[in-house]
Amino acid sequence: MRNSTNFARQERIFNPATVSAWPLHIIGCGSAGSAAAQVLIKLGLGPEIHLWDPQKLEDVNVPVQLPYRTKDCGEYKV
């Protein structure tokens, strides 16, 4: 089983330790924002990622916005 906290392969492309501006903010958690958040987390970015979106999830959002499920409809995206 692979160690999920080993980001050595990703660090060849992007090393989060070299980023000097924290926290990172993502404005909007729709199609692009939710996908960007997942990719940045998988790359090992941190220590802080702030997500901002005042909208509630609708059923039309579920197929195109990755982290959401039908049972999340009516809840805020963040």
Side-chain angles (χ1 to χ4, degrees):
M1 188 165 160
R2 293 181 186 207
N3 181 351
S4 63
T5 59
N6 183 352
F7 298 108
R9 290 176 58 188
Q10 289 88 339
E11 287 176 353
R12 287 184 286 179
I13 300 168
F14 176 79
N15 184 351
T18 62
V19 177
S20 60
W22 294 109
L24 175 67
H25 294 267
I26 296 177
I27 310 297
C29 294
S31 299
S34 63
Q38 287 188 335
V39 169
L40 295 172
I41 291 166
K42 287 180 180 182
L43 283 172
L45 250 65
E48 280 185 61
I49 298 177
H50 294 247
L51 306 174
W52 301 86
D53 197 319
Q55 295 181 339
K56 290 186 177 184
L57 186 72
E58 299 176 19
D59 57 349
V60 296
N61 302 133
V62 175
V64 294
Q65 297 176 8
L66 299 174
Y68 306 115
R69 301 164 295 205
T70 305
K71 70 178 189 173
D72 299 324
C73 289
E75 299 292 330
Y76 287 102
K77 293 180 182 180
V78 179

